[in-house]
Amino acid sequence: MWEKLVGDALDTLQQQHGIKREDIFLQTKYTSIDGQDTSKPLPYDPTASVTDQVRQSFSNSLQNLRTDYLDSYILHSPLRTPALTLEAWKVLLELQDQGKVHKIGISNCYDTRVLQYLIENGKRVLDVVQNRWYEGNGWDTDVVQFCKTQGIYYQSFWTLSGSPNLLQGPAIQDVVRRTGCTPAQALFRVAQTMGITPLSGSTDEQHMKEGLSSVDISLTDGDVESVQKAMKALAPTQKTGIM
């Protein structure tokens, strides 16, 4: 459903506003049967092999989005077993080799051993990791550091909704007072400074504009250090929540 709406929007942008396909970064996912709502139509035959499921899901996404390539295609999460995850991953490698996808990666992966397994068996470093980056998992420090070391593009979600204490705390509020930005913009900018790309699911036009303009906020080294210190203090001793 959502992909078709995005496809409609992209068509409107191109036909009515002259925005070209290459000006848009388009990313979507393959979601295994474990993550699907089986009461709704599936983008693949659930009785097919994982290899065929990924191929069918990809073709369905291209059709929905009205495009012949994707800028990024990622696994929604690791599958039930390492072998199945690797089977799905090999299809993404194949799509990338065919030029149908520019970047490939995985979401909801909080174990660096899984990432290393894909790198070693796929003979290629991932391009993208998309994870929850929030108080409950201590801001995913192990995976963030792994991505930084490997040169992997880290995308964050739950950036705002998952970190209310940080947003309301003195470190972020000091940035707000000094720069005149919103707390959300302050945290987005800190994330960007740390090499993280925060994703936004807002449907509010003003919030969208604020999110995009966060890149223009000037932070001092002291600002970033203060927020990072607050993050460390807020991180649970034993990580809780959805990992």
Side-chain angles (χ1 to χ4, degrees):
M1 172 185 174
W2 296 114
E3 282 187 343
K4 288 184 177 179
L5 292 175
V6 172
D8 291 343
L10 291 172
D11 185 63
T12 298
L13 288 174
Q14 294 177 56
Q15 299 300 324
Q16 298 182 23
H17 302 281
I19 295 178
K20 299 178 181 178
R21 166 65 184 87
E22 54 266 31
D23 295 329
I24 303 292
F25 186 90
L26 199 53
Q27 174 176 273
T28 191
K29 302 175 180 179
Y30 160 75
T31 302
S32 71
I33 194 66
D34 291 333
Q36 295 281 358
D37 181 351
T38 55
S39 68
K40 298 179 180 179
L42 298 173
Y44 51 76
D45 177 359
T47 67
S49 67
V50 166
T51 294
D52 287 339
Q53 286 181 20
V54 178
R55 289 173 178 162
Q56 291 169 16
S57 184
F58 179 77
S59 296
N60 190 64
S61 291
L62 292 186
Q63 182 177 355
N64 289 338
L65 296 168
R66 308 186 192 187
T67 184
D68 57 2
Y69 74 95
L70 292 176
D71 297 283
S72 179
Y73 193 54
I74 62 180
L75 303 180
H76 176 268
S77 65
L79 279 69
R80 294 179 184 178
T81 67
L84 289 175
T85 302
L86 182 60
E87 182 180 348
W89 181 246
K90 286 183 176 179
V91 181
L92 269 62
L93 293 170
E94 173 187 287
L95 293 170
Q96 189 175 48
D97 288 340
Q98 294 171 349
K100 297 178 180 178
V101 176
H102 294 166
K103 298 181 184 298
I104 56 176
I106 191 169
S107 184
N108 295 296
C109 183
Y110 302 94
D111 189 338
T112 58
R113 292 172 298 181
V114 175
L115 301 176
Q116 190 62 48
Y117 173 76
L118 294 178
I119 292 171
E120 290 176 356
N121 288 276
K123 309 300 181 185
R124 189 178 309 171
V125 177
L126 296 80
D127 298 302
V128 178
V129 168
Q130 182 191 107
N131 276 355
R132 293 176 176 87
W133 188 74
Y134 76 119
E135 293 177 16
N137 69 359
W139 288 278
D140 201 22
T141 52
D142 290 345
V143 175
V144 170
Q145 183 57 45
F146 181 89
C147 289
K148 184 176 181 180
T149 300
Q150 296 287 337
I152 298 171
Y153 183 60
Y154 185 100
Q155 300 173 344
S156 69
F157 62 103
W158 279 22
T159 310
L160 303 178
S161 59
S163 299
N165 294 315
L166 182 63
L167 285 167
Q168 297 165 15
I172 289 292
Q173 293 301 320
D174 284 347
V175 175
V176 170
R177 283 190 290 270
R178 189 180 64 77
T179 65
C181 69
T182 68
Q185 285 179 306
L187 184 51
F188 275 179
R189 187 62 186 129
V190 169
Q192 292 163 352
T193 302
M194 296 171 62
I196 293 167
T197 298
L199 303 181
S200 173
S202 179
T203 58
D204 183 282
E205 184 175 351
Q206 182 59 33
H207 289 168
M208 293 180 192
K209 291 178 179 178
E210 290 172 354
L212 290 172
S213 64
S214 62
V215 71
D216 299 321
I217 298 170
S218 295
L219 298 180
T220 66
D221 291 341
D223 290 332
V224 178
E225 291 171 4
S226 179
V227 174
Q228 289 178 324
K229 184 177 179 180
M231 291 167 63
K232 186 175 181 180
L234 287 167
T237 303
Q238 184 173 359
K239 297 175 183 177
T240 58
I242 300 174
M243 306 309 294

